[in-house]
Each structure stands twice: as structure tokens, then as C-alpha cells.
Amino acid sequence: MAITIKSEREIELMRESCRLLGIVHKEMEEAIRPGVSTMDINIIGDTVIRKLGCIPNFKNYNGYPASVCVSVNDEVVHGIPNKKRILQEGDIVSLDAGLIYKGYHSDAARTHGVGQISPAAQKLIDVTKASFFEGIKMAKAGNHLHDISNAIDAFIQPYGYGIVRDLVGHGIGTSLHEDPQIPNFAQRRRGPKLHAGMTLAIEPMINMGRADVDWLDDDWTVVTEDGSWSAHYENTILITDGEPEILTLY
């Protein structure tokens, strides 16, 4: 496993890539309301990325046909935007997007409510987000990678939610997916030691029901096996000699 350590120049490029992605996410979030199609959101994301002079890194990645993954309710990740898929009052929708700025990638995801959502759906979104922040308390130079995984798992377990095991976080830099893989569930081994200059995409994917998932016939969309709803929260972070820096917050 070769985990890249970014130089100061590379870190500045990563910061800018992630700052611009924050703008994209804010524009997409403001468009979420009942009656909007998942394709509408994709078009907004793609348009803003290109207006900022960047490239959507999801578009054509291993054949993925869109610039934004738009996943609704029981869709965990990689939902393909469709003009016929209309958001309804009470839905939850996960937006996962990234871009390339001067050769450097950024990646972030958020789950949002559509109009008024149930308390149970809001709790799922809030707990998923909180688990990310619990995880990155351990994202410090000198700690080990799986300290992050174990912290996310320990936070989620009391809620009885399912932690998706088939998909994990990842390193990021000049490629969208670099080493290491970052599980969101407890690990027996400690994993590699963390060093300042590592850039990681930490992304808990949490199901209201069981952890099991299936892939739809489009070979992309991941859904919960039991039909329960799912939430996703992801940021690109930088390991430093002190507290981690969250690059994609906006």
C-alpha cells in the first residue's frame, strides 16, 4: 500500500479543489425541493463545476454516466440521475460529487431532506453526519487508520443502524481513489500509521435497517437489501501535525 504524502504546493491545490466543490454542493443543496428531478440536480452540479473552470471527476469514471450521484431514500450511493425521478415531499436525497482542479481531485457527499421529513429520517441524517466527526477525532498524525474506522463504528452501534460494509472511504489526490481504503466499521488490525500530508475521503454510509446492500441492474445504483433508508456524509480531509483539516466544508 502506497499512501501519498502531499507537498505544500499539492496541499494548496487540494484546498482550492475542495473549496470549489463546496460552492457546487451549496448550489445543488439550494435546488432541492419537491418536484425537482434528480437530473435537474445533476445538471446544476455539472454546470457549476464547469463554470468554475474545473472538470467533474465522476463523469465517465469507470463508465459512470453523470457528474453527480443522486441517491434517493433506500439508494445508498451511485444513484444515476434521471429526468423522470422526481423528488417528493418527505424524501431524503444524497448528493455525492467531486471535481478536478489543476489535476487534483476533491470528493464530498451530503444527505438532505426534501421539504418536511420524518423525525426518524432526520435522526438518520444527523447521526450519520455526527459519526464522521467522531471518526475524524482520531485522524491525527501518529494514530492509525483504523482508529478512524473503530470510532465511527463505536458511535453508530448504540443506534442499531447498519454500517455499510461493501463500500468504504479512500485516499484522494491526483486520482479520485488512492490508497488507503478506509472502512467505516471496526477492524481488528490497526492499519497504517497516519502522517501529516495525507489527504483522505472519510464517508460513513449508514442504513436505518440492516447493513446489507444490493446493486441494481444498471450496475451502479447501490440500494439497501431490506428497503430501509440510507444516509451518506463525506468530506475530504487533510492529516496535519495537529487537528485534521476538513477541506470540503462550506
Side-chain angles (χ1 to χ4, degrees), residues 134-177:
E134 285 299 310
I136 68 162
K137 287 178 181 178
M138 307 306 295
K140 299 178 181 179
N143 284 354
H144 289 256
L145 184 73
H146 294 158
D147 294 335
I148 300 171
S149 309
N150 295 343
I152 293 171
D153 187 293
F155 181 78
I156 291 293
Q157 287 299 339
Y159 293 95
Y161 293 149
I163 303 171
V164 174
R165 304 175 79 87
D166 295 66
L167 302 144
V168 296
H170 52 92
I172 185 170
T174 53
S175 297
L176 175 57
H177 293 109

Side-chain angles (χ1 to χ4, degrees), residues 45-115:
D46 182 87
T47 300
V48 177
I49 289 170
R50 295 182 193 278
K51 278 186 177 177
L52 293 169
C54 300
I55 300 166
N57 53 8
F58 288 11
K59 180 81 170 179
N60 298 321
Y61 182 81
N62 291 338
Y64 185 74
S67 296
V68 183
C69 297
V70 188
S71 308
V72 183
N73 297 340
D74 66 330
E75 296 170 353
V76 181
V77 286
H78 305 159
I80 297 175
N82 189 317
K83 64 183 180 182
K84 295 181 180 178
R85 185 69 188 270
I86 307 299
L87 298 180
Q88 308 289 331
E89 181 88 16
D91 285 344
I92 63 173
V93 57
S94 299
L95 308 181
D96 190 359
L99 57 79
I100 308 168
Y101 170 78
K102 295 187 177 179
Y104 285 81
H105 291 254
S106 52
D107 190 4
R110 305 282 189 269
T111 301
H112 305 283
V114 181

Side-chain angles (χ1 to χ4, degrees), residues 15 22 25 37 39 56 73 95 99 120 155-156 218 220 226 228 237 239:
R15 280 197 183 104
H25 264 283
S37 77
M39 180 58 79
N73 297 340
L95 308 181
L99 57 79
F155 181 78
I156 291 293
D218 62 24
W220 277 107
D226 61 6
S228 65
I237 72 164
I239 303 297

